[in-house]
């Protein structure tokens, strides 16, 4: 037997096999990425690494942008977030001030029943850099909303031109949140969260919008007799609510001198609810109260809103009193004897209209 022929034949077959594998690696690499042939020549190992990276990308899709990332971080499992808008006037403590609206707002989550964990799902939308920096310093979920050509940093007195602009900017932002498929509770920072509101809000998914009122008529479905307040509401993301917010925002330029709340109320009285097939619940002030109409029962109250008030200083002062009343109520264990309990008068807010 010619050993050289046999051994030569034995080497030829494996060589052809490995050559084929090598060619296949190059071919498959060039198909998946035609530029890989310009790399350092380690085609198969590069392809393997690339495939691992691709698999990782498909397993955890990167957020589209900064807003999507912020929403995802704050979201509950069912894509629900709590949203509050802040500016410098609410977040930055002036030398003469005792505290800030933001601090009082966060205090309510600390002092409330079942509210501490909800801060994990609270996204602060800062409309200026100072508010954003303060939010980041407190290690909260923060998003910086930039509106070209507008400075939202200072205090915006109720119904001032800048106040109205800021409210419409807020509406536009919330429309975008709905478009991205997120349900949300919107809350003003002058709303004290004394209890977990999800326990009083309906979990019925057919209810598209649940909104607070300045004065509750007694009928949660009455479109005519309940005067809404956009300082606190819960909205589910669907085509109907997106259409509602789009119709609402589209009226911005034809509503001179009106705040967005007035425009939404006009839409409701004009039949937008039935037109879009919406189901809207108007919230009882027994649970979701405010300075316009105090809750009758501290055993039931969930939120307290400093509505019917003009200035930040007045709101901060009266809301600190609300938290004091709340602490005293809990300390005295008044659950069994509420007859003697009474909210302190909102003197700061009452006097704010005289200036």
């Amino acid at each position: 037997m010619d050993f050289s022929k046999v051994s030569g034949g034995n080497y030829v077959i494996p060589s052809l096999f490995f050559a084929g594998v090598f060619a296949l690696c190059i071919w498959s690499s060039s198909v998946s990425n035609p530029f890989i042939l310009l790399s350092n020549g380690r085609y198969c190992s590069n392809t393997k690494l690339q495939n691992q990276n691709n698999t990782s990308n498909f397993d955890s899709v990167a957020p589209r942008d900064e807003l999507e990332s912020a929403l995802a971080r704050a979201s509950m499992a069912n894509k629900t977030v709590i949203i509050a808008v802040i500016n410098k006037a609410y977040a930055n403590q002036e030398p003469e001030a005792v505290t800030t609206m933001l601090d009082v707002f966060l205090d309510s989550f600390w002092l409330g029943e079942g509210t501490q964990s909800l801060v994990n799902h609270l996204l602060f939308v800062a409309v200026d850099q100072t508010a954003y920096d303060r939010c980041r310093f407190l290690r909260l979920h923060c998003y910086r909303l930039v509106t070209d050509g507008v400075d939202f940093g200072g205090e915006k007195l109720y119904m001032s031109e800048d106040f109205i602009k800021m409210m419409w900017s807020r509406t536009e932002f919330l429309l975008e949140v709905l478009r991205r498929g997120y349900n949300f509770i919107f809350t003003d920072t002058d709303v004290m969260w004394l209890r977990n509101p999800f326990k009083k809000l309906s979990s019925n998914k057919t209810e598209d919008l649940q909104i607070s009122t300045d004065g509750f008529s007694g009928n949660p479905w009455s479109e005519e007799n309940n005067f809404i307040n956009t300082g606190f509401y819960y909205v589910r993301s669907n085509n109907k609510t997106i259409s509602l917010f789009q119709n609402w925002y589209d009226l911005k330029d034809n509503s001179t001198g009106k705040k967005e709340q007035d425009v939404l109320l006009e839409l409701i009285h004009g039949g937008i609810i039935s037109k879009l097939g919406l189901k809207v619940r108007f919230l009882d002030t027994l649970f979701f109260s405010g300075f316009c109409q105090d809750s009758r029962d501290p055993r039931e109250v969930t939120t307290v809103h400093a509505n019917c008030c003009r200035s930040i200083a007045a709101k901060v002062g009266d809301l600190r009193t609300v938290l004091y009343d709340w602490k005293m109520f809990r300390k005295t264990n008044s659950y069994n004897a509420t007859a003697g309990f009474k909210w302190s008068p909102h003197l700061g807010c009452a006097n704010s209209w005289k200036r």
Side-chain angles (χ1 to χ4, degrees), residues 71-142:
L71 289 167
R73 285 195 302 269
S75 179
M76 302 175 189
N78 63 349
K79 292 196 74 174
T80 298
V81 294
I82 303 165
I83 296 175
V85 175
I86 54 173
N87 68 350
K88 177 181 177 180
Y90 275 48
N92 191 47
Q93 186 170 333
E94 298 299 331
E96 67 276 9
V98 176
T99 185
T100 69
M101 181 69 76
L102 175 59
D103 291 331
V104 175
F105 179 63
L106 291 171
D107 283 346
S108 75
F109 281 82
W110 175 254
L111 297 170
E113 295 180 356
T115 52
Q116 291 184 14
S117 63
L118 295 178
V119 175
N120 297 327
H121 305 293
L122 179 56
L123 175 63
F124 285 98
V125 179
V127 296
D128 60 74
Q129 191 61 41
T130 300
Y132 181 71
D133 291 342
R134 173 70 173 157
C135 179
R136 293 292 302 273
F137 177 79
L138 293 172
R139 298 183 180 277
L140 302 164
H141 294 301
C142 315

Side-chain angles (χ1 to χ4, degrees), residues 240-257:
K240 292 180 290 183
T241 55
I242 292 170
S243 294
L244 173 64
F245 272 67
Q246 186 66 66
N247 276 272
W248 184 12
Y249 184 72
D250 285 346
L251 294 173
K252 173 178 69 73
D253 295 328
N254 297 321
S255 304
T256 305

